[in-house]
Amino acid sequence: MIGDLTILEKAQSPEYWANLNPQLSVGKILNFKSSDSIEFEPEQLKELLLSLKEEGYFQIDAILPNSDIVKMAEAMQKLKDSEWPVAFAFIYDEFWQIYYRLHHLLSAILGPDYRQVPDVWAWYVDTSKNEKGWEPHRDRRENSLFPDGMPKGVNIWIPLTDVTPLNGCMYILPADLDPNYHLEKDINPVHPQDIRALPAPAGSVLCWNPVVWHWGSRSSHKAKSPRISIACDFQLPDADPYDIPLLDPSLPPNFLQRLGLICKLLLRFHYRYRYSEQIIQLAVKLQKNAPIPYWTVGNYYRVISDRWQSVGIDKGAIVELAHIYEDRIMARHPQQTGTLYPFPPLELADLQYAPPI
C-alpha cells in the first residue's frame, strides 16, 4: 500500500524506489554508451527501413536481452501491487537504458543526431475483459512524413511480457492498405481483413511512424498473463518538436526530472485513467520538476475544446497562462486585453502545451 501519510516523501526519495525494486537502479547511470547498442546487419536494416517506408511499421521479435526484460516486468508488477501508476517505472535507469540499446537502429532511421521526445509511457493491461489498450488512433498527422514516405519521428513500443490477441496485443492498419493514410481526416471505410494483429514475445521491438493507424485490443480472462509494455517517441533533431525539450538519448534525465516528467504525464493522461485524488495531488505538486512543467506561468497553451466559445475563445486559440491556483488556472483571453479566464486544473482535454513559435 502507498499509505496516505508519506506518499509525497516516498515519491521524492530515490532510496524508496531503490528498495521497492532492488534489481534496478535509480540515477546511477549518468550516460549510456553506444557500445551497449545492438548491432544490425546492413541487409536487415535495409529491409526494416523499407517496411517502415511502405507499411508504416516494422516488428523485430525478442531482440532485447531477456535478463533486462524480466527485471523490468517484475518492477512494473511491483509498482502495480504497491498501487503506484506503472508509469513510475521510468524512475529507474533501465527503462531509459533499454531504448539506448536501439541506438544503431534509431540512427539508421533518423540519423545519428536523433532526439528522444519527453513522452514516455507504460501500460499494465490485466487479464480481464474490462481491461484494454488505447483506442484506435494516429499519434499525429501533420509534419510527420517526408514526400518519399520516410518518417520524421517514430514510436518504439516494447512488450515486457508475451503479448497475444488474448491479452491485448497491438493492431495496426498497414500504410499501404490504409485508404485514409494521406488524407487530413478519416473519411473512407476500412476493410477489416486489412487490419493486422501484432502478437509479440517479450523483448520484441515494434516501431511505427506517427501517421499509421494503430491500437491496443481488449484483454480476456482467458489470457495467461497481463500485457505489460512501454513506449517512447523519437524524432529528427531539426523537425518541429513533438514535445519539448527534446532529450539527448545518451543522457537520461536526473531523478527529479524523471519524477516531474512522470507526474506531468499523469496529468496529461488523467482523462484516460481517472487517477485517485491522492495521485493527482501528488502529480500537481511534483510536475514542476519536469524539464518543461505541464503548467507554467508565462507559457502558452492551445485550446483544443469547443466549450470556451461562449466567452469568445475558439478552438485552436493560443492562450497565455497568467496564474495558478489550487482550484483554477487563469489564462489570458487571446482577444480581450486584461481579461483573465479560469480553467479548472483537471480540464486537460481543453488545454494543450503549445511550444514557442
Side-chain angles (χ1 to χ4, degrees), residues 248-319:
D248 182 339
S250 69
L251 301 173
N254 63 35
F255 173 76
L256 286 178
Q257 290 173 331
R258 296 179 200 182
L259 184 61
L261 177 60
I262 292 164
C263 288
K264 170 183 175 178
L265 294 169
L266 292 178
L267 295 174
R268 179 184 295 173
F269 295 128
H270 172 68
Y271 75 98
R272 290 182 185 273
Y273 296 97
R274 295 299 170 188
Y275 296 110
S276 69
E277 183 62 27
Q278 186 184 40
I279 290 295
I280 290 300
Q281 290 177 2
L282 175 75
V284 169
K285 290 178 181 178
L286 298 182
Q287 59 89 30
K288 66 180 182 296
N289 295 316
I292 294 291
Y294 198 93
W295 299 310
T296 301
V297 170
N299 276 356
Y300 290 84
Y301 297 78
R302 180 176 292 102
V303 178
I304 55 175
S305 168
D306 292 324
R307 76 170 71 196
W308 311 115
Q309 288 182 338
S310 61
V311 294
I313 302 179
D314 296 329
K315 182 177 180 180
I318 303 295
V319 298

Side-chain angles (χ1 to χ4, degrees), residues 64-66 68-77 89-90 95 98-99 122-123 157-163 200-204 225-231:
L64 295 168
N66 185 63
D68 292 347
I69 296 300
V70 169
K71 290 188 292 185
M72 293 166 67
E74 290 174 349
M76 285 183 59
Q77 184 65 59
F90 283 93
F95 281 81
I98 198 71
Y99 282 103
W123 291 263
W157 189 86
I158 300 173
L160 304 182
T161 55
D162 291 344
V163 173
S204 298
S225 66
R227 190 202 86 178
I228 302 176
S229 59
I230 58 174

Side-chain angles (χ1 to χ4, degrees), residues 26 43 55 170 174 222 241 249 290 323:
V26 181
E43 194 61 32
E55 296 189 308
M170 298 302 297
K222 297 179 181 179
H323 300 286

Side-chain angles (χ1 to χ4, degrees), residues 9-233:
E9 295 172 323
K10 288 180 178 179
Q12 296 181 98
S13 168
E15 292 76 18
Y16 168 78
W17 298 110
N19 291 333
L20 187 66
N21 281 297
Q23 77 277 21
L24 301 181
S25 64
V26 181
K28 292 184 178 179
I29 305 177
L30 301 180
N31 64 286
F32 304 133
K33 300 178 181 179
S34 60
S35 59
D36 295 332
S37 176
I38 299 170
E39 295 282 357
F40 290 81
E41 294 295 332
E43 194 61 32
Q44 183 183 14
L45 284 175
K46 182 179 178 181
E47 292 179 4
L48 294 174
L49 293 178
L50 181 61
S51 178
L52 185 61
K53 179 178 179 179
E54 293 182 348
E55 296 189 308
Y57 85 100
F58 62 75
Q59 177 174 338
I60 313 172
D61 285 342
I63 190 174
L64 295 168
N66 185 63
S67 57
D68 292 347
I69 296 300
V70 169
K71 290 188 292 185
M72 293 166 67
E74 290 174 349
M76 285 183 59
Q77 184 65 59
K78 185 65 174 181
L79 289 168
K80 175 76 171 177
D81 293 343
S82 301
E83 299 184 2
W84 288 102
V86 293
F88 279 98
F90 283 93
I91 283 290
Y92 298 100
D93 300 333
E94 288 78 1
F95 281 81
W96 298 88
Q97 185 182 37
I98 198 71
Y99 282 103
Y100 204 71
R101 293 191 182 277
L102 303 174
H103 172 68
H104 292 306
L105 175 62
L106 286 164
S107 294
I109 299 171
L110 300 170
D113 295 325
Y114 72 93
R115 286 294 178 260
Q116 186 169 9
V117 180
D119 191 6
V120 298
W121 199 244
W123 291 263
Y124 188 107
V125 179
D126 215 340
T127 55
S128 164
K129 66 179 180 181
N130 295 322
E131 296 275 324
K132 58 185 177 181
W134 285 5
E135 71 284 350
H137 66 283
R138 304 178 194 273
D139 292 333
R140 54 186 63 84
R141 263 191 157 107
E142 296 180 359
N143 194 37
S144 295
L145 301 175
F146 288 105
D148 66 353
M150 284 301 291
K152 299 180 181 181
V154 293
N155 180 287
I156 300 290
W157 189 86
I158 300 173
L160 304 182
T161 55
D162 291 344
V163 173
T164 73
L166 285 179
N167 70 354
C169 75
M170 298 302 297
Y171 282 76
I172 204 164
L173 181 61
D176 57 343
L177 298 175
D178 185 350
N180 301 297
Y181 188 69
H182 294 292
L183 304 180
E184 294 182 359
K185 295 182 179 180
D186 294 332
I187 58 175
N188 296 312
V190 170
H191 298 292
Q193 287 177 305
D194 292 337
I195 294 169
R196 191 169 296 169
L198 302 179
S204 298
V205 170
L206 279 68
C207 171
W208 53 77
N209 72 40
V211 183
V212 75
W213 199 43
H214 63 282
W215 61 95
S217 60
R218 187 176 295 276
S219 187
S220 166
H221 68 279
K222 297 179 181 179
K224 296 181 179 180
S225 66
R227 190 202 86 178
I228 302 176
S229 59
I230 58 174
C232 185
D233 289 335

